[in-house]
Structure formats: structure tokens, C-alpha cells
């Protein structure tokens, strides 16, 4: 590696000068010393790229010089030159960290140049490996720091989500609404909400944002904001304007399209009117269909509608049913389909109907019956909401 600085240490002036002359002719820079003590001083002052040192010298021999250099620098290549009769010294030098050794007399100086280049290349490789390891450690530490920040952000996001969800089941006259959400990640893309509209009606919905994790959880914040805005508008008008689930879905559809986030939502939303004893509901691409149970009579609630936030010309319709004196309405996100053990969709749907028919008409009972408490890692978020009147 031409241009490198070589420190040549030898008490034989003729040998030293012949080596220096050859190395200069090969493009190297050189420094000279006639013993180890002088060489050590030059090493400390000039920081050469390689040391070529005779072993047997007065004042300070090569082994002492090598030992001292290695205590101060483990990287600099150090080639020892030894007479043929002192091979035990060569072994000791290699043990102390010499890079290579040459036997006197050096008849072919090209062999010396080859050894020097090999030692310099090896030293450069070691330096690059150290830099790479340092860079890798820095990257790992940076990733750990980023992961810690991300976990802190996730905790903060989780706390925001938890604060947005209803704090407790809604008890409205003889109606009760409860929910449970099991996220596949720390943050969930499923969301539920329910709230009172006036003295004779309340609203509820279950939403499933496409995907899951932080980006989907962000959309749940938007949904909560939209529902609050609509509720404020409703109350600012004195509650005179009749709220329809289809109008809410149209509003959310337009709002999501304007954000340009590329996220869509499947939604089932409804409004219970206790004066008329009716449920008005609307579908926004929701699947599986909600299950309504009246005693042993259990069936899926019919309806259809496009996902919300995908199509500008999407149209959402309302359906109205009379509410029986005793019933339960179970709404599940499609994550439940992923964890049911049955093979076909038809078998999974029949199983859901049978579980509800057997009396799993509360959040606690349904969660236990479906084995959701034992799930370690769900492939998708699972949300459930149950509206019941007993």
C-alpha cells in the first residue's frame, strides 16, 4: 500500500539503509531508528502505519519494543526480523502480537514488500471491521432507543384509545350495551362507542378500520372526533333534527375520503328509540352480520352497504325493526372469523349462532365461550358489542 509510512528499526546501518532505499523506491514513506528505545520515541511522535523491527539490538531489543508498542496500540502492524538461529524469539514475538516475521538475511526485498503490503491490508481490514462493528453497535443502540420511544408512543397511543372507549357499559332504562376489544397489536384498529342522544334514544356503533396497528388506530381517533362533532351539532340544534345512522355513515365516508389516508372502515351503527321501541340501523360493509336472539330464536340481522371511506358515490340506507321485550343483539368484527376453529365460513357462522343460542348473551359469557381469554396473539383485532334487554 504505497504512501504508507514505515518505521524501520535495525542497529545494522547497512541493512537498515538498504531496506529504506528499497521501500522509498516502492513508493513508501520511511522513518529510521537504530534501536528499540529510539524507535519507541519515533513511534509515539510520528505514528507510522507499520513497524519493521529487528529482534536483536542494543539498548532496547525488539521483543521489549514490541511489548511496549502493543501496550499502547493493538492495531499497528508489527513485522519482526530475526536471524535463523533465534526462532524461539520469533515464537515469543508472535505470542506478543507480531503481525509477521522475516528471517535474515532478506535476500529478495520483494518478499519484504509483499509482507509489508499483506500486513497493511490486514490491519486496514481489522480497522474497517472495528468501524463496522462500532457502526453496527451504534445502529443497534439507535434502534433500541427508537424502539423505546416507539413503545412509549404506543403506550401513549394505547392510553388515548382506552380513554376514548366507553368507560363502562351503558345502562339505559331496561337496555344495556357492553363491549370488549382484543387487539392483535398493542394498538387496535377496532373501535366501539355508545352514548345517549336524548331522553328516549341512544346510539351505538362498532367500526373495524382496515389493517391494524398505529395507522389504523389513528383512524379510530378520527372516528371518535367525528361522532363527537355530530353529537355537538345535534345538541346545538336542540335535538330537533332526527339522527339517522345512514346520515352518519355518509358523513364519515366523505370525511375519510377527504383525509387521503387510504384507510376505509366497515361499520355497523344503530339508534334505539325507547318511545317507539324500535332499532334503526345501517350497514357500512360490516361483516359478519350481527346476530339477534330472542329466546332460542337466533338469526343474522339482514342488511348490506359498502365499506366507508372507499367510494365517493356510496349510498347508505336505514332499516327499522321492532324490538321485542327480551332480546340480545351481538355485533362482532371480522377478526372473530380468524380465530374460530371451524374450517368453512358456513360452519363458523353456524357455530356463532349456536353459542349465542345457548345463552352467551353477555360480553363476559361470549368472551369465555369463544375462548378469547386464552388467545396469545390474534391474527386480527377482535371487537364485540352486545345490546340486550332482559
Amino acid at each position: 500500500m504505497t504512501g504508507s509510512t514505515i518505521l524501520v528499526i535495525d542497529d545494522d546501518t547497512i541493512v537498515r539503509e538498504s531496506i529504506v532505499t528499497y521501500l522509498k523506491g516502492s513508493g513508501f514513506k520511511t522513518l529510521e531508528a537504530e534501536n528499540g528505545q529510539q524507535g519507541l520515541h519515533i513511534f509515539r511522535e510520528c505514528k507510522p502505519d507499520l513497524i519493521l523491527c529487528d529482534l536483536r539490538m542494543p539498548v532496547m531489543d525488539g521483543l521489549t519494543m514490541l511489548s511496549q508498542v502493543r501496550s499502547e496500540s493493538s492495531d499497528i502492524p508489527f513485522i519482526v526480523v530475526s536471524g535463523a538461529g533465534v526462532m524461539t524469539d520469533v515464537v515469543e514475538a508472535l505470542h506478543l502480537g507480531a503481525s509477521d516475521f522475516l528471517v535474515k538475511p532478506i535476500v529478495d526485498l520483494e518478499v519484504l514488500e509483499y509482507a509489508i503490503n499483506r500486513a497493511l491490508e490486514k490491519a486496514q481490514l481489522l480497522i474497517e471491521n472495528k468501524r463496522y462493528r462500532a457502526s453496527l453497535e451504534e445502529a443497534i443502540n439507535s434502534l433500541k432507543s427508537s424502539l423505546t420511544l416507539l413503545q412509549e408512543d404506543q403506550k401513549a397511543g394505547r392510553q388515548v384509545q382506552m380513554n376514548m372507549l366507553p368507560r363502562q357499559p351503558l345502562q339505559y332504562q331496561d337496555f344495556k350495551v357492553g363491549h370488549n376489544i382484543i387487539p392483535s397489536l398493542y394498538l387496535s384498529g377496532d373501535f366501539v362507542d355508545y352514548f345517549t342522544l336524548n331522553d328516549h334514544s341512544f346510539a351505538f356503533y362498532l367500526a373495524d378500520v382496515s389493517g391494524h396497528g398505529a395507522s389504523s388506530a389513528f383512524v379510530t381517533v378520527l372516528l371518535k372526533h367525528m361522532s363527537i362533532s355530530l353529537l355537538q351539532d345535534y345538541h346545538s340544534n336542540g335535538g330537533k333534527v332526527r339522527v339517522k345512522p345512514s346520515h352518519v355513515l355518509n358523513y364519515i365516508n366523505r370525511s375519510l375520503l377527504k383525509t387521503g389516508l387510504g384507510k376505509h372502515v366497515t361499520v355497523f351503527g344503530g339508534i334505539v328509540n325507547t318511545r317507539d321501541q324500535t332499532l334503526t340501523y345501517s350497514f357500512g360493509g360490516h361483516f359478519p352480520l350481527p346476530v339477534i336472539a330472542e329466546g332460542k330464536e337466533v338469526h343474522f340481522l339482514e342488511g348490506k352497504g359498502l365499506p366507508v371511506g372507499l367510494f365517493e358515490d356510496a349510498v347508505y340506507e336505514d332499516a327499522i325493526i321492532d324490538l321485542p321485550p327480551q332480546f340480545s343483539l351481538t355485533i362482532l368484527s371480522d377478526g372473530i372469523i380468524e380465530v374460530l376453529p371451524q374450517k368453512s365460513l358456513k360452519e363458523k357462522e353456524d357455530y356463532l349462532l349456536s353459542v349465542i343460542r345457548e345463552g352467551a348473551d353477555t360480553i363476559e359469557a361470549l368472551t369465555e365461550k369463544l375462548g378469547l381469554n386464552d388467545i396469545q396473539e390474534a391474527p386480527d383485532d377482535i371487537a364485540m358489542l352486545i345490546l340486550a334487554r332482559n
Side-chain angles (χ1 to χ4, degrees):
M1 299 175 69
T2 57
S4 300
T5 299
I6 312 299
L7 171 58
V8 181
I9 308 172
D10 198 310
D11 63 319
D12 189 325
T13 304
I14 296 174
V15 172
R16 186 178 69 249
E17 289 181 351
S18 65
I19 291 174
V20 167
T21 300
Y22 179 84
L23 292 178
K24 286 182 177 178
S26 297
F28 293 100
K29 299 174 184 177
T30 59
L31 301 167
E32 296 180 55
E34 61 183 21
N35 57 60
Q37 190 176 71
Q38 187 182 23
L40 189 60
H41 175 74
I42 295 173
F43 159 71
R44 290 169 176 166
E45 289 292 323
C46 303
K47 306 299 181 185
D49 298 306
L50 180 143
I51 297 174
L52 178 67
C53 183
D54 188 19
L55 285 182
R56 294 299 179 97
M57 296 180 296
V59 184
M60 180 185 288
D61 62 28
L63 288 177
T64 305
M65 166 73 178
L66 172 59
S67 178
Q68 189 62 44
V69 167
R70 279 290 171 257
S71 68
E72 299 178 25
S73 172
S74 61
D75 297 329
I76 184 170
F78 196 112
I79 298 177
V80 298
V81 181
S82 170
V86 287
M87 293 306 293
T88 54
D89 288 346
V90 172
V91 173
E92 179 64 17
L94 293 174
H95 178 72
L96 290 172
S99 307
D100 203 349
F101 74 94
L102 297 172
V103 178
K104 283 185 176 181
I106 305 174
V107 179
D108 187 354
L109 289 179
E110 288 186 359
V111 174
L112 170 63
E113 183 179 358
Y114 174 79
I116 288 174
N117 282 324
R118 183 175 63 181
L120 288 170
E121 289 171 359
K122 183 179 179 181
Q124 184 62 35
L125 182 61
L126 289 174
I127 291 172
E128 290 176 358
N129 283 341
K130 282 188 175 182
R131 288 174 180 169
Y132 173 75
R133 285 196 297 270
S135 176
L136 186 60
E137 288 177 4
E138 183 180 353
I140 291 172
N141 290 332
S142 177
L143 284 173
K144 287 180 178 178
S145 298
S146 298
L147 180 60
T148 299
L149 289 174
L150 181 60
Q151 288 173 335
E152 290 175 355
D153 287 344
Q154 293 252 337
K155 288 180 181 178
R158 177 69 168 167
Q159 189 59 49
V160 169
Q161 275 200 310
M162 291 299 98
N163 289 339
M164 292 192 309
L165 289 167
R167 298 294 179 89
Q168 57 189 10
L170 172 66
Q171 188 72 49
Y172 192 96
Q173 298 179 17
D174 54 351
F175 293 90
K176 185 176 182 179
V177 186
H179 76 278
N180 187 19
I181 292 182
I182 302 171
S184 59
L185 300 176
Y186 201 70
L187 296 172
S188 174
D190 286 3
F191 193 70
V192 302
D193 203 4
Y194 35 84
F195 42 84
T196 300
L197 289 174
N198 50 44
D199 62 356
H200 62 272
S201 62
F202 63 90
F204 62 89
Y205 67 85
L206 184 150
D208 182 357
V209 183
S210 58
H212 41 80
S215 60
S216 298
F218 175 71
V219 179
T220 66
V221 178
L222 290 181
L223 289 175
K224 181 68 174 183
H225 173 72
M226 293 175 196
S227 62
I228 290 175
S229 296
L230 288 172
L231 191 60
Q232 287 176 340
D233 290 343
Y234 173 77
H235 286 300
S236 65
N237 291 321
K240 296 178 181 179
V241 179
R242 185 172 183 180
V243 180
K244 293 184 178 181
S246 60
H247 294 168
V248 176
L249 295 189
N250 277 315
Y251 173 76
I252 296 174
N253 186 62
R254 292 193 304 269
S255 299
L256 280 179
L257 287 171
K258 286 179 181 178
T259 65
L261 292 172
K263 288 287 186 179
H264 66 273
V265 185
T266 58
V267 188
F268 177 84
I271 296 175
V272 171
N273 188 312
T274 59
R275 183 181 296 166
D276 300 336
Q277 295 297 306
T278 59
L279 167 65
T280 304
Y281 63 88
S282 186
F283 276 92
H286 181 81
F287 180 81
L289 296 174
V291 178
I292 188 163
E294 184 180 1
K296 294 297 183 180
E297 182 63 33
V298 180
H299 61 88
F300 289 109
L301 195 64
E302 296 298 324
K304 61 181 181 178
L306 294 171
V308 180
L310 272 182
F311 308 102
E312 292 184 3
D313 57 350
V315 176
Y316 301 99
E317 299 177 349
D318 292 308
I320 302 176
I321 61 171
D322 294 325
L323 294 176
Q326 290 187 338
F327 76 96
S328 68
L329 177 65
T330 302
I331 309 150
L332 298 160
S333 65
D334 62 3
I336 193 64
I337 300 298
E338 300 290 333
V339 299
L340 292 181
Q342 292 73 28
K343 293 183 179 180
S344 69
L345 176 60
K346 180 66 167 57
E347 289 173 330
K348 293 174 187 284
E349 290 178 334
D350 289 343
Y351 178 69
L352 281 176
L353 293 177
S354 67
V355 167
I356 296 172
R357 184 180 295 110
E358 291 169 5
D361 55 359
T362 66
I363 292 295
E364 295 76 16
L366 186 60
T367 300
E368 181 179 355
K369 187 66 177 178
L370 295 177
L372 302 183
N373 289 324
D374 302 324
I375 292 179
Q376 299 298 321
E377 292 184 5
D380 194 6
D381 303 323
I382 302 172
M384 60 177 68
L385 185 149
I386 297 181
L387 162 67
R389 178 162 72 173
N390 298 317

